[in-house]
């Protein structure tokens, strides 16, 4: 858990004995929502919590939890979030392409876990991340456990897209929102990570520190990509070839933030994500109709959902860039 979670943690501890059987932890992507969920799960299982309610890290329960083999804990994540992808606790991925979904078999396998008593005479905890990675059938399989939870059981569903969950699932959970990270703490953390331009990276990531760190790590690729977006006469094929060297969700995110700044500049004369290019964005926006920018942003939302498994990555990016080029074709700036 990160320093910018301190205020949210105080709110979590205040729940105390009122903690319901299912909590939907909602946070923006890149602010450490998974780490918060893990800390919450550990605190519920810890046998000697610290004064601030966090897991002590020393009791047998914490030792087992940190080794990801606590008998009263289950972590459900997609195979794509196996340990080598940065999320620990999942079973090793198979050699073929890893699933991006929490599979229905994973949820059904909980039946045996829920059918027996707890091993440590305390709570059993199930953490699902990201909860929106469940398709409707998987969510319906989970729904019975949420509707008729066994005693001494807590479900923690962590999500950055609560709208991706069925209304019936959301209604069975108490909502717990993670507030945006404090800017000063986020900047201090980014400086500790060696980010040379933390203010710009944090702005481009929409205030999400982990997103800002990824932005900094791909700074050279992002800079080349943005250089292309600045010029109405850019070559979409050449730019797409460079873009596919980074994860496609990152590339689509760059386009989304650029598009949001176009719309914001067109309507208000301000930008949010790319202040270093404010004048150029304002010039490009003059030739765009707000409704057309909004339509393009909707297209990018759909593209973001498909970005992890496109049939052809290069063609996928080329299509998005061609639509962008048509959008700004009438911009009153020089190429």
């Amino acid at each position: 858990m990160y320093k910018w979670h301190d205020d949210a943690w105080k709110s979590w501890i205040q729940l105390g004995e009122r903690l319901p059987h299912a909590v939907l932890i909602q946070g923006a992507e890149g602010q450490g929502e998974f780490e918060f969920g893990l800390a919450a799960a550990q605190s519920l299982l810890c046998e000697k919590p610290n004064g601030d309610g966090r897991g002590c890290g020393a009791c047998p329960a914490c030792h087992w939890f940190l080794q990801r083999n606590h008998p009263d804990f289950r972590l459900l994540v997609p195979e794509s979030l196996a340990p080598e992808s940065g999320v620990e606790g999942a079973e090793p991925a198979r050699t073929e392409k890893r699933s991006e979904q929490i599979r229905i078999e994973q949820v059904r396998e909980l039946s045996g876990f829920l059918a027996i008593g707890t091993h440590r005479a305390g709570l059993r905890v199930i953490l699902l991340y990201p909860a929106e990675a469940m398709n409707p059938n998987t969510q319906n399989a989970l729904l019975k456990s949420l509707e008729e939870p066994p005693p001494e059981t807590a479900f923690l569903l962590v999500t950055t897209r609560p709208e991706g969950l069925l209304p019936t699932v959301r209604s069975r959970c108490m909502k717990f929102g993670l507030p945006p990270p404090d800017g000063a703490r986020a900047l201090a953390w980014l400086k500790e990570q060696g980010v040379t331009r933390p203010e710009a990276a944090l702005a481009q990531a929409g205030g999400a520190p982990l997103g800002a760190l990824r932005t900094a790590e791909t700074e050279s690729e992002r800079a080349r990509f943005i250089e292309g977006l600045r010029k109405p006469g850019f070559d979409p094929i050449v730019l797409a070839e460079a873009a596919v060297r980074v994860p496609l969700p990152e590339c689509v995110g760059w386009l989304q933030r650029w598009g949001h700044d176009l719309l914001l500049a067109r309507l208000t004369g301000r930008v949010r994500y790319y202040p270093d290019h404010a004048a150029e964005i304002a010039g490009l926006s003059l030739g765009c109709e707000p409704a057309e920018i909004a339509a393009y942003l909707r297209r990018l939302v759909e593209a973001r959902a498909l970005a992890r498994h496109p049939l052809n990555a290069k063609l996928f990016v080329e299509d998005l860039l061609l639509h962008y080029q048509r959008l700004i074709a009438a911009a009153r700036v020089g190429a």
Side-chain angles (χ1 to χ4, degrees), residues 62-288:
C62 282
H63 176 75
W64 291 327
F65 183 87
L66 295 173
Q67 296 297 318
R68 299 294 183 262
N69 58 8
H70 194 295
D72 294 326
F73 176 67
R74 292 292 184 272
L75 172 62
L76 273 62
V77 298
E79 289 177 344
S80 60
L81 295 183
E84 57 266 34
S85 295
V87 176
E88 298 179 349
E91 295 181 359
R94 300 190 299 265
T95 55
E96 64 263 25
K97 185 176 180 180
R98 296 173 295 175
S99 174
E100 297 287 342
Q101 294 188 344
I102 296 176
R103 295 174 290 106
I104 193 169
E105 291 80 10
Q106 292 173 270
V107 171
R108 287 173 175 168
E109 288 169 1
L110 289 176
S111 59
F113 173 65
L114 298 174
I116 59 176
T118 60
H119 290 75
R120 301 295 292 177
L123 281 175
R124 67 163 66 84
V125 180
I126 300 99
L127 174 63
L128 298 96
Y129 173 81
E132 68 271 15
M134 295 183 290
N135 64 33
N137 289 336
T138 303
Q139 293 184 49
N140 281 320
L142 178 68
L143 193 57
K144 180 173 176 58
S145 296
L146 297 179
E147 292 174 335
E148 302 175 8
E152 306 302 323
T153 300
F155 288 89
L156 304 181
L157 285 71
V158 182
T159 181
T160 59
R161 293 196 304 107
E163 70 279 4
L165 296 171
L166 297 174
T168 48
V169 171
R170 297 199 302 268
S171 68
R172 300 306 190 276
C173 303
M174 186 197 77
K175 281 69 173 181
F176 183 88
L178 293 178
D182 175 75
R185 289 178 178 174
L187 287 173
W189 181 80
L190 288 170
K191 291 176 182 177
E192 291 173 1
Q193 309 309 306
V195 176
T196 55
R197 298 177 63 235
E199 293 84 359
L202 195 62
Q204 291 161 21
L210 298 184
L213 183 60
R214 290 195 298 270
T215 293
E217 291 171 346
T218 58
E219 174 61 22
S220 60
E221 293 86 354
R222 185 200 60 80
R224 284 194 294 270
F225 191 77
I226 296 303
E227 180 67 21
L229 298 183
R230 293 169 53 225
K231 303 173 180 178
F234 73 90
D235 187 334
I237 296 176
V238 173
L239 192 56
E241 288 176 350
V244 294
R245 298 170 189 167
V246 301
L248 288 186
E250 288 288 307
C251 176
V252 178
W254 296 338
L255 272 171
Q256 285 181 302
R257 289 186 282 274
W258 187 266
H260 277 294
D261 272 358
L262 275 178
L263 185 58
L264 192 61
R266 184 69 173 82
L267 296 176
T268 70
R270 297 181 294 107
V271 300
R272 175 185 180 187
Y273 297 108
Y274 297 103
D276 293 348
H277 301 290
E280 294 163 314
I281 291 171
L284 288 169
S285 71
L286 291 176
C288 306

